[in-house]
Amino acid sequence: MSVPDYMQCAEDHQTLLVVVQPIGIVPEESFFRIYKRISAVSQVNVRDSQRVLYIRYRHHYPPENNEWGDFQTHRKVVGLITITDCSSAKDWPQTFEKFHLQKEMYGSTLYDSRLFVFGLQGEIAEQPRTDVAFYPSYDECETVEKRIEDFIESLFIVLESKRLDRATDKSGDKIPLLCVPFEKKDFVGLDTDSRHYKKRCQGRMRKHVGDLCLQAGMLQDSLVHYHMAVELLRSVNDFLWLGAALEGLCSASVIYHYPGGTGGKVGSRRAQGGSLSAEAGNRHRPGALTSNGINADTSAEIGRAKNCLSPEDIIDKYKEAISYYGKYKNAGVIELEACVKAVRVLAIQKRSMEASEFLQNAVYINLRQLSEEEKIQRYSILSELYERIGFHRKSAFFKRIAAMQCAAPSIPEPGWRACYKLLLETLPGYSLSLDPKDFSKGTHRGWAAVQMRLLHELVYASRRMGNPALCVRHLSFLLQTMLDFLSDQEKKDVTQSLESYTAKCPGTMEFITLPDGLKLPPVPFTKLPIVRSVKLLNLPTSLRPHKMKSLLGQNVSTKSPFIYSPIIAHSRGEERNKKIDFQWVQGDVCEVQLMVYNPMPFELRVENMGLLTTGVEFESLPAALSLPAESGLYPVTLVGVPQTTGQITVNGYHTSVFGVFSDCLLDNLPGVKTNGCTVEVIPALPRLQISTSLPRSAHTLQPSSGDEISTNVSVQLYNGETQQLIIKLENIGTEPLEKLEVTAKTVNTKEKLYGDFLSWKLEDTLSQFPLKPGKIATFTVNIKVKLDFSCQENLLQDLSDDGISVSGLPLSSPFRQVVKPRVETKPINPQESSKVGDFSHVKTLEAILNFKYSGGPGHVEGYYRNLSLGLHVEVEPSVFFTRVSTLPATSTRQCHLLLDVFNSTEHELTISARNNEDLILHAGECQRMAIQVDKFNFESFPESPTDGTQFANAKQLEEERQQAKGLEINSKLDICWKIISFHEYFVEGVLNQLVLEHLQLAPLQWGEFLIRLVQRLWNVECSIPTTCMPVTSFRKSPQFIRK
Amino acid sequence: MADTGRAGQTLENYPLYIRSVPTENELKFHYTVHTSLDVVDEKISAMGKALVDQRELYLGLLYPTEDYKVYGYVTNSKVKFVMVVDSSNTALRDNEIRSMFRKLHNSYTDIMCNPFYNPGDRIHSRAFDNMVNSMMMQVC
């Protein structure tokens, strides 16, 4: 006896073993179809009694196990059913011969046998035979079940007769000694007449009768017999049989206590029968005693409670039995099976600890050299039993060993498929699932070192199975979930093998379905690289869409009646979905910035990294990046172009790392910071590109409003010079440019600026609109720089003082002559004057030109774009008027205006004024020029209506008057300078302040005085405020002066 | 010479700390300790019916294998300590094992008192290391 039946359970002791075998050539499928139908008849209510027979069918049973049939009768093959395929009558004798041969194989133990012949028709089939049944085909055999029942009844008759025979032949005849195969030689030459021997024979026979009773459905009787057998055998120290008797006792008790069965798998089938048996046992016990003429020994009424073991006793007895079996090396299989049976019982009793002890014992039972297949079977069954007692880890451990055994190097054809299948079954035991989502949150589950090992084995098995896709999936899973536990070297090894596998079969995001229906979810590499934050970026300033003001009203949320409320409905869940307050534009490249880092100890190449979006058709432009080993946070910008409008949600990103494609959804990423993932895409807008005639500037304007300047240009001009700035407007977008608005803003104005700094005519440009994509329009801006031409404020002050003294006595030259020498003493030579004031000081002016433009569908929706051009003008000094004075002319209506002009340029220049010849000034030269001008009357200008209440208004009027006066003077003087090698420029409106006082008519002296006072107080301010230069503050109010 | 592997475990049953002498063939101890958790679970659930607060923390011998004896200990917060010793080491009797566990438990309590330690993290404590080392040296 060498082949253990690991599936055995205690209730198998009450079954009759029937072997069903094919002879000749029977198609396997057909055979098993018939076998299935036969084995469905597993319990039969025997006619005339309420006893139930249980049948155990086997289609394969080693004859050497049959030899142990006397030891435990359920091991004995009592019935044989053969199935054969016989198509013609002439094959029949041969077939029948084979049937007989087959019968001889189990001949010694068989009670009865049957032959089922399929396919044979005709004369032979007509003969009524009890042992042969003929069926025309496998499909027409309705009576099989009936036949089997008849067969079982015939078995029962034999069994019953044997039972009665054995039970009654009590004392008279000599009781034969039953023995197991290996004992036979031990009893040679033994004294058969000794009491000891007789007792042994009796004990063994009693036990045998117990077995028969159990099989015949007489549970209580069998208990009695077993008890007696135990006592008899114990007295003669026949340990092997004592063990068997104890086990029989246990089996009977188990059958009584657990009618549901202990087998588990076949439980449902047995449930019905089991309950019947218990019931039957109860019911017919008294009757059985009388009607069947049982021996007087058994009729001695022993209480049922005493006969039947209690659940605790069952285990004790099993232990005892196993310890007796353990004494015999040849009874290893019996011992092993007893262990298995006991474990099944304990599993039902939920006594896992004791069960594990039995199992532990079973592990150490050393059978003869097992074949690999048997080893696998053994480990599998151990695993199953451990599972049953709730030891999932132990179960997984053995299952894994079984799996390894499937592919042991000693096996010529390793069963990698079986190995893989078994390995998959171990997963729950190691609290491992193949869904990476289970590992994405919280701490790692399970025992990483052991899990890693298992995953490696899965990878290896799937590779050997020739399923590279599966292999890649497992390896990806290993890398993704065990990354924290892999050493640097392991990381390298794993990625290397992954790369080599993916070269043949790239990893995908599809589910892999195994033949047995298990689905392996895809494994996105969310940790390669690890993403820490996702930020949707606004468009660059020049491309940002703005909503037209007039339409803003619609945009305001109508959710709340309040414009502002401190109570904001915060909800954490919505944070990720919150909307962002900027928009993206259809057709424009939009960016998302990820902060990533590489946890690997080597450079990580991420290919084909792009965005996953929903809501809007989005053309993702994938990027490839290479992250250095164990990099810190590393910014990565992913770009794409929305093709339609609406709400776009960035759900995640896709990558290709080591040849594995991953779609990583942000929802599944732990610890990712994001500023929101949903943004609105507005319809397409044109794009404007500006190029100018001027060189680009290195200066970057820093406007206060936060607008960014897309282009900066710079130009260098002499004070008073005018230059044209030609701006080329190119529509580089795809939509026509329909609207354009231009505004200018001066920044950083420390300098006094006169006249219009920038001026343009938009009409000329607009006439070229709408601008088709790719077309260019030009736009011309005039830049005029007119800063103060007086060399210095303090110098001006001096002059003014001088002026006062002059104005005190107009037209009276004597006093003036007195004063004049004093003025003359002022140093005029350039060297000294340059010391006094820094003439070469370069002043800068900066302005921003804003182009608001719109067009296409975006314009319909009310959006525009804003493009800013920064203009940086460096103003070099040209001429300075260092001194101004007047001399009376021949007419009282006229006077000579004397101007000291200083050329601070490095060029020779000429100064000209109305009615005057040109004055040539060399570089650094200072000369006086005299201009004869008419005096004029300011009376023609409206006086301010001295309205004290309208403070600002008064100021404005004052300014206007100043301006008007300035213009008047300018038109009269018309001074201009030109550098001979360059163009001509005007010195407009600059001198008015200086000159004003000198040119006024005498009768208006009082008025002039007033103005002069104003001038003096104002002289720090610009005399002509222009539209370009807003007056920011007044140091002194003219109102104050008037009072 | 005794091989000892020890592990502190939490409810989720992942190792907080594992250490063995000698270090080769460590995976074997991983398996041993991992499978021993079945027994620990079983013992705890069996005890669950008894008074929880008066529970004996020491679980005793979990199971003997051919070469090793596996002992278990569970704190009231269900942190498990498992000790694997060479079965040939006869110097270690139940009392010694018990006191070793108590020492381990004390040391673990010290770790938990560290405000910078997150319960559930793997233990990286020099004090704990030293204590385990000294205990292993003593046994060997």
Side-chain angles (χ1 to χ4, degrees), chain B residues 113-130:
Chain B
C113 293
N114 177 2
F116 298 105
Y117 175 75
N118 266 336
D121 283 357
R122 288 195 75 119
I123 296 169
H124 299 286
S125 155
R126 212 180 304 141
F128 195 76
D129 275 349
N130 291 340

Side-chain angles (χ1 to χ4, degrees), chain A residues 551-806:
Chain A
L551 294 165
L552 196 71
Q554 300 171 357
N555 213 15
V556 170
S557 161
T558 50
K559 270 183 196 167
S560 161
F562 305 107
I563 295 168
Y564 169 76
S565 162
I567 305 155
I568 303 158
H570 268 304
S571 131
R572 280 173 176 268
E574 284 173 15
E575 238 163 62
R576 191 158 280 175
N577 302 324
K578 73 185 171 193
K579 253 181 98 176
I580 301 170
D581 60 351
F582 57 76
Q583 290 100 18
W584 280 352
V585 179
Q586 175 192 357
D588 276 357
V589 175
C590 302
E591 298 175 321
V592 174
Q593 194 183 52
L594 308 179
M595 295 305 283
V596 301
Y597 79 87
N598 171 16
M600 299 304 251
F602 47 84
E603 188 180 315
L604 184 67
R605 284 201 57 76
V606 185
E607 274 149 31
N608 198 27
M609 191 166 187
L611 292 170
L612 295 172
T613 58
T614 52
V616 164
E617 205 178 301
F618 188 78
E619 186 196 341
S620 181
L621 307 171
L625 49 135
S626 176
L627 297 169
E630 274 161 6
S631 66
L633 276 185
Y634 206 85
V636 173
T637 307
L638 298 180
V639 295
V641 180
Q643 303 289 356
T644 55
T645 62
Q647 294 258 329
I648 187 168
T649 306
V650 175
N651 294 324
Y653 59 93
H654 61 83
T655 57
S656 165
V657 183
F658 308 129
V660 178
F661 294 95
S662 319
D663 289 348
C664 309
L665 297 181
L666 296 182
D667 292 340
N668 300 338
L669 296 181
V672 170
K673 274 188 266 173
T674 163
N675 63 340
C677 296
T678 305
V679 74
E680 199 185 341
V681 178
I682 63 149
L685 283 170
R687 281 182 69 173
L688 184 63
Q689 195 183 49
I690 296 182
S691 53
T692 66
S693 54
L694 294 175
R696 279 173 162 265
S697 163
H699 292 273
T700 312
L701 289 179
Q702 294 293 334
S704 53
S705 61
D707 294 334
E708 274 175 50
I709 312 286
S710 50
T711 327
N712 281 295
V713 293
S714 67
V715 63
Q716 208 170 13
L717 296 174
Y718 285 107
N719 192 3
E721 194 176 341
T722 304
Q723 189 163 17
Q724 272 199 338
L725 169 63
I726 296 160
I727 299 171
K728 274 188 194 167
L729 306 172
E730 186 178 0
N731 184 1
I732 54 167
T734 52
E735 300 298 328
L737 210 162
E738 288 157 8
K739 291 275 176 203
L740 179 70
E741 273 178 52
V742 183
T743 52
K745 196 163 74 179
T746 343
V747 287
N748 293 348
T749 41
K750 287 186 211 116
E751 311 301 331
K752 284 179 282 180
L753 189 64
Y754 308 96
D756 289 342
F757 177 37
L758 301 171
S759 60
W760 61 81
K761 277 191 176 164
L762 195 57
E763 291 75 26
D764 301 344
T765 314
L766 287 181
S767 65
Q768 303 170 51
F769 276 44
L771 201 58
K772 292 269 175 328
K775 292 281 179 345
I776 299 172
T778 52
F779 175 64
T780 312
V781 177
N782 289 314
I783 308 170
K784 278 191 254 177
V785 280
K786 280 177 224 139
L787 295 179
D788 201 346
F789 282 90
S790 62
C791 70
Q792 251 184 336
E793 280 172 12
N794 56 359
L795 191 59
L796 188 73
Q797 196 72 37
D798 282 352
L799 285 168
S800 303
D801 285 346
D802 191 28
I804 289 168
S805 62
V806 172

Side-chain angles (χ1 to χ4, degrees), chain A residues 29 173-174 186 276 278 325 389 477 516 538 566 695 719 731 737-738 740 755 770 796 804 874 925 944 1041:
Chain A
E29 194 195 334
D173 308 330
K174 197 175 171 187
D186 299 344
L276 259 175
Y325 289 150
I389 61 169
F477 183 83
D516 57 355
N538 203 345
N719 192 3
N731 184 1
L737 210 162
E738 288 157 8
L740 179 70
L796 188 73
I804 289 168
E874 290 189 349
E925 197 180 12
S944 73
I1041 298 155

Side-chain angles (χ1 to χ4, degrees), chain A residues 510-525:
Chain A
E510 269 111 54
F511 277 82
I512 293 179
T513 309
L514 295 177
D516 57 355
L518 185 72
K519 281 189 174 180
L520 295 185
V523 182
F525 277 150

Side-chain angles (χ1 to χ4, degrees), chain A residues 133 263 297 323 666 674 676 852 889 892 954 1024:
Chain A
D297 291 336
S323 72
L666 296 182
T674 163
K852 278 187 188 177
T892 51
I1024 306 170

